[in-house]
Amino acid sequence: LGVTQDTDGWGGGAYMGLSLTDSLVFSATVLGTELDTDVNGTAEFDSTRIQATSALTGNFYSGTWRTSPSITVAWSKEWQDASSGFNAQTIETGVISPGLLIGNTVAVSGATTVEPWLGAQLDWVGINKVVDEAVGTILDDPYTDLRLQAGLNFAFGANAQLALTGEVSGLLYEDSDTYTAGANFAFQF
């Protein structure tokens, strides 16, 4: 009854970050990938995906408090080849996400700090479409959802950072609930 899916591939892209002011940052990414997907060991198909995102983020400080409003625009389109009795399909998604994050940085000892933070992001998915080559449109379901986020940002001196994050979504969109957790360690040299 279970479906297993194994996807691998390669890709490349470009990232740009630009400080517009002391408090305002613009970033953008473009990525292209070639993928090979195997479903249950019986069906295999190739696909090509292009993704693009841009974001405008503010970082405003008052003492140890940080307020970061943001707006992100993301778009993705994937062309899946026909294979193993499946028709070729095109999947496209476009999202606009305004958000707000509030954190407070606390000195732990010496040059070590921790910033607990909370955030919320409203996702307006204006494009959520799957088109089958033979059947036509099989999904056209724009929706709006709310994500709540929390995390801890640690700084160890000037060169090492650790971010622990958690997120829950599906608070407005009843067809999908997701829970994610992550950790990211960065060392600058």
Side-chain angles (χ1 to χ4, degrees):
L1 295 175
V3 175
T4 61
Q5 179 173 310
D6 181 30
T7 301
D8 60 70
W10 60 272
Y15 168 80
M16 178 193 75
L18 180 63
S19 294
L20 301 176
T21 69
D22 288 343
S23 301
L24 203 55
V25 176
F26 174 79
S27 61
T29 303
V30 175
L31 175 65
T33 54
E34 292 291 328
L35 302 167
D36 179 37
T37 302
D38 181 10
V39 181
N40 285 349
T42 59
E44 187 174 322
F45 60 90
D46 296 326
S47 60
T48 301
R49 181 184 302 158
I50 296 177
Q51 297 169 272
T53 62
S54 63
L56 188 60
T57 304
N59 288 300
F60 303 98
Y61 296 91
S62 176
T64 60
W65 288 90
R66 173 174 63 108
T67 303
S68 296
S70 66
I71 182 92
T72 302
V73 177
W75 172 82
S76 175
K77 191 164 188 175
E78 182 172 336
W79 296 268
Q80 294 181 348
D81 295 338
S83 179
S84 303
F86 293 101
N87 298 323
Q89 292 186 343
T90 303
I91 302 166
E92 186 175 15
T93 305
V95 183
I96 297 174
S97 300
L100 179 66
L101 182 143
I102 298 172
N104 185 26
T105 302
V106 177
V108 177
S109 66
T112 301
T113 63
V114 61
E115 179 196 41
W117 58 268
L118 296 172
Q121 201 146 8
L122 185 68
D123 295 326
W124 178 67
V125 183
I127 302 170
N128 186 31
K129 193 172 197 174
V130 178
V131 178
D132 185 277
E133 178 182 59
V135 178
T137 300
I138 57 176
L139 175 71
D140 190 0
D141 184 24
Y143 64 90
T144 302
D145 195 14
L146 177 65
R147 289 184 284 145
L148 296 181
Q149 306 151 327
L152 295 170
N153 294 335
F154 295 91
F156 307 101
N159 297 342
Q161 298 88 30
L162 173 64
L164 304 174
T165 60
E167 179 178 282
V168 60
S169 68
L171 301 173
L172 297 178
Y173 184 61
E174 296 180 6
D175 292 343
S176 175
D177 294 322
T178 61
Y179 308 92
T180 60
N184 184 22
F185 179 74
F187 183 79
Q188 300 163 340
F189 51 94

